[in-house]
Amino acid sequence: MIKEGDRLKKTENYLQTLNEPQREAVLHGGGPLMIIAGAGSGKTRVLTFRIAHLIENGVDPFRILSLTFTNKASGEMRQRIEAEVGTEARNIWMGTFHSVFAKILRIEARYLGYTSDFSIYDTDDSKSLLRSIIKEFNLDDKVYKANVVYNRISGAKNRLISAEDYLNNAIIQADDEAAKMKEIGRIYKTYATRCFQANAMDFDDLLFNTNILFRDFPDVLYKYQHKFQHVMVDEFQDTNVSQYLITRKLSAVHRNICVVGDDAQSIYAFRGANIENILNFEKDFPDVRTIKLEQNYRSTGTIVNAANSVIARNKSQLKKETFTKNEEGVLIDVIKAGSDNEEGRLIATAIFEEKMQKALRNENFAILYRTNAQSRSFEEALRKLGIKYRIIGGMSFYQRKEIKDLLGYLRFTVNQRDEEAFKRIINLPKRGIGDGTVAKIAVTASEQQIAIWDVVSNSGYYIGGRLAGPIDQFATLIKSFKLLIEEGKDAYEIAAHIAKTSGILRELYEDKTVEGLSRYENVQELLNGIKEFVDSDANEDKSLSAFLQSVSLLTNADEPDENEDHDRVTMMTIHSAKGLEFRNVFVVGLEEDLFPSQMMLESRQDLEEERRLFYVAITRAEQKLSFSYAESRYQWGRLKMCEPSRFLLEVDPKFLNVTKMLQTGPERPGAESSGTSFVRNLTPRKPSEPRNMVSAAAHTPSSDFSPSDTSNLTEGDKVEHMKFGFGTVIKMDINGTDRKATVKFDTVGDKTLLLSFAKLRILK
DNA sequence: AGATCAGGCATTTTT
DNA sequence: TGCCTGATCT
């Protein structure tokens, strides 16, 4: 326990390390406060100290609500506060909007007609439910695409528009009519009903229902309004209407609301984030104290100024002048590559050299791109140079089939009304219950007006015949799992038992392929994660239900730690890079239509948000920044010629070092070349590949490529390249047979490199 | 019920 | 190009 005297000293100590506006933000006692915090302005330090300061001045941690954007950010902040004030920090209500309000909904579920064991549907579950509704309505799924419908409904929920409101809103109906999707309202309504019947909430419901809860049950609102003496919101620029209304209501009694954000970094409008929230905050709270943190401690002068020169072009923004007292630093390298593959190689080489010259570590570097699909060429290049990397994003651990399968069992064990979990596991592993039978169960349930589980658990009565056997087995299995919950077993004990007993683990264990092994390991990894959850002191509730609630809100930024070595180059989208910083940053793929994204320009016409995204990317760099773009790129297996991005051209040229541009032209179709290769590493085709193909790898003097082929291609076969066409058919002679192949190649200087996969087929 | 195959379609970002 | 879906066969 820290003594009172020590505490005071500590406060004084950290206050001395702050600049004037930072200190004011920390010391601001009550009343609304808005902190506009530029990139790298020590925002997290201020928030941390502010909360620590409140606690040191006698505010009960239980009465502080602190909302952050990611689980990771909240975890880190909690740790830092703990370092200041000790274990009391654990009692702060801190987390993402979704996790905090899921927790509250869990406590108050009965008010809304849910049980506290409600399931949380992830995006996949939601879309799958939508697909089945669209099918049941006999609508054309090419017109009513699950994705589009989902986004429409999600957008409505984020603006607090219920299904009834949606149907009654003339403007929305006219919109849908114009888009030839006038049934969306009906779909929305059925979707909401089905979610409710399934005792399930989707991501948006967690916020939507919290609003309903606070609107319709004043007693509940009263309780939390009085409970939370201080409400803090980080990344305020990325909150949507639904989130904002919750925080406004919660802070209406004590009026101690502190929002922290940077309008220049608002990049989630596509998800309903409303930049107006930050621009209008002063209207909602006329007595707000606004503090601007404008000094950047993170980056060099060049980087800060370049970022400012970009964002200055945006019209809608608050006035703010970010500056730094750091040294000017080096110019921003601009790297021009002929192709995406060359871009990969140039960046990898640049990292390699920089690492050697400056004695840096891999973890000092980050490669930031607009879309996840761009990671491929960098992966290949880094691997070739033996540089370790990690990719954040893409297919999340929790989206893998095997993980969702086991979670499906866990969910259904906790909540037998969970329709999506049911569909997932009813025939897994295969137990002879096909689509037909599942449909029969569903029809019976709706005809008899009973729950699916009632049909399943009494299949002898409702279904009968030979189908009853396997269904009954399934029901017995689930009943035995439910028993474990009633016995009060913890999440790990139950999950481990289910993994074994359900046959999931056995099926994966018997799969000896590389993929099978890795799936098996993933399931083990999930079990480890559950064990950690149960063992952690931070979690009081160790029930399976509590675990499921927490796990469904994890994101790919919260993957289980690959504990091993941390020293890796980080690759991720710019969106995932928010809040992070790296010594050296590469912003890649700066091509028109890619960044700014063509889709964004077509659908939302919002160049400003794209520009803010660029701003976020630039300001991640501490010491050195590089931009790169390719003059041609593979997209959908096709070659595409690219223009440098308008954003790249917007950067004030005095900050740029363009001498690094490589003087090679773009890849051009028709470049002539010839050579000989020998087939090596002949591997059997994967089951998913077409029957008449065999994977093989050949070797050329300059590089590697791997053709796949039909017939009697054997190791040691001589392969002759007659001519290279770029991404076009080339003729080869293998064992006297003519083949056609698609080959990817790259031109560097005057050299032609064969780069990657070629599919060979016999020419007919 | 499950395996196989052909054809269509997609690629923006994520709590 | 490669993945997913739905139709068709066993």
Side-chain angles (χ1 to χ4, degrees), chain A residues 97-320:
Chain A
F97 273 91
H98 294 266
S99 68
V100 166
F101 295 115
K103 197 166 153 188
I104 289 181
L105 285 170
R106 195 166 139 79
I107 298 169
E108 315 294 347
R110 66 204 154 85
Y111 285 98
L112 297 173
Y114 283 85
T115 78
S116 61
D117 288 332
F118 67 83
S119 295
I120 297 176
Y121 276 180
D122 67 14
T123 314
D124 289 341
D125 296 321
S126 300
K127 287 180 187 166
S128 144
L129 176 53
L130 284 171
R131 260 188 290 273
S132 35
I133 294 173
I134 290 166
K135 205 167 185 179
E136 287 161 26
F137 280 11
N138 281 322
L139 296 168
D140 185 353
D141 59 4
K142 291 193 177 89
V143 178
Y144 290 88
K145 288 180 184 162
N147 239 325
V148 177
V149 178
Y150 177 79
N151 286 332
R152 272 307 269 181
I153 294 175
S154 169
K157 279 187 190 165
N158 285 330
R159 285 175 291 144
L160 297 181
I161 297 169
S162 67
E164 286 76 22
D165 298 341
Y166 193 100
L167 283 163
N168 292 330
N169 185 314
I171 301 171
I172 293 177
Q173 289 306 313
D175 266 7
D176 282 353
E177 193 116 12
K180 300 221 157 72
M181 294 192 285
K182 61 182 166 70
E183 299 296 332
I184 290 187
R186 247 177 82 218
I187 299 173
Y188 182 5
K189 185 150 192 199
T190 307
Y191 173 76
T193 311
R194 290 276 277 275
C195 282
F196 182 73
Q197 284 170 348
N199 195 27
M201 298 191 197
D202 67 15
F203 285 144
D204 304 311
D205 285 336
L206 295 174
L207 305 173
F208 185 87
N209 287 336
T210 303
N211 270 296
I212 302 290
L213 180 71
F214 288 162
R215 185 195 67 193
D216 295 352
F217 301 93
D219 289 359
V220 180
L221 173 63
Y222 183 88
K223 181 166 109 188
Y224 288 99
Q225 276 177 331
H226 283 81
K227 176 183 177 64
F228 296 126
Q229 215 173 339
H230 284 268
V231 176
M232 280 177 237
V233 185
D234 194 8
E235 306 284 9
F236 185 60
Q237 75 280 357
D238 288 322
T239 52
N240 58 36
V241 172
S242 173
Q243 291 168 321
Y244 177 57
L245 288 180
I246 294 173
T247 45
R248 204 174 69 181
K249 273 190 178 161
L250 278 180
S251 52
V253 168
H254 294 290
R255 292 184 60 77
N256 295 324
I257 181 169
C258 165
V259 300
V260 189
D262 179 6
D263 54 301
Q265 296 185 63
S266 166
I267 53 176
Y268 281 99
F270 71 90
R271 220 176 61 200
N274 189 352
I275 194 167
E276 302 294 314
N277 284 347
I278 198 165
L279 300 177
N280 292 335
F281 192 73
E282 288 169 321
K283 282 183 201 146
D284 278 349
F285 295 91
D287 56 332
V288 66
R289 173 82 188 110
T290 302
I291 299 174
K292 292 179 184 174
L293 306 181
E294 298 173 305
Q295 182 174 354
N296 180 309
Y297 293 95
R298 178 188 295 155
S299 316
T300 65
T302 303
I303 292 166
V304 170
N305 292 329
N308 283 339
S309 81
V310 166
I311 203 70
R313 292 168 187 268
N314 274 5
K315 295 209 170 59
S316 63
Q317 56 180 323
L318 295 171
K319 253 199 205 119
K320 177 161 51 52

Side-chain angles (χ1 to χ4, degrees), chain A residues 614-630:
Chain A
F614 190 37
Y615 177 83
V616 168
I618 294 174
T619 51
R620 297 311 97 193
E622 295 168 353
Q623 298 287 312
K624 188 165 182 210
L625 178 63
S626 310
F627 295 143
S628 76
Y629 71 98

Side-chain angles (χ1 to χ4, degrees), chain A residues 43 102 134 221 365 372 456 462 491 516 598 762:
Chain A
K43 177 189 73 173
I134 290 166
L221 173 63
F365 296 88
N372 277 311
V456 172
Y462 287 111
Q598 190 176 15
I762 297 177

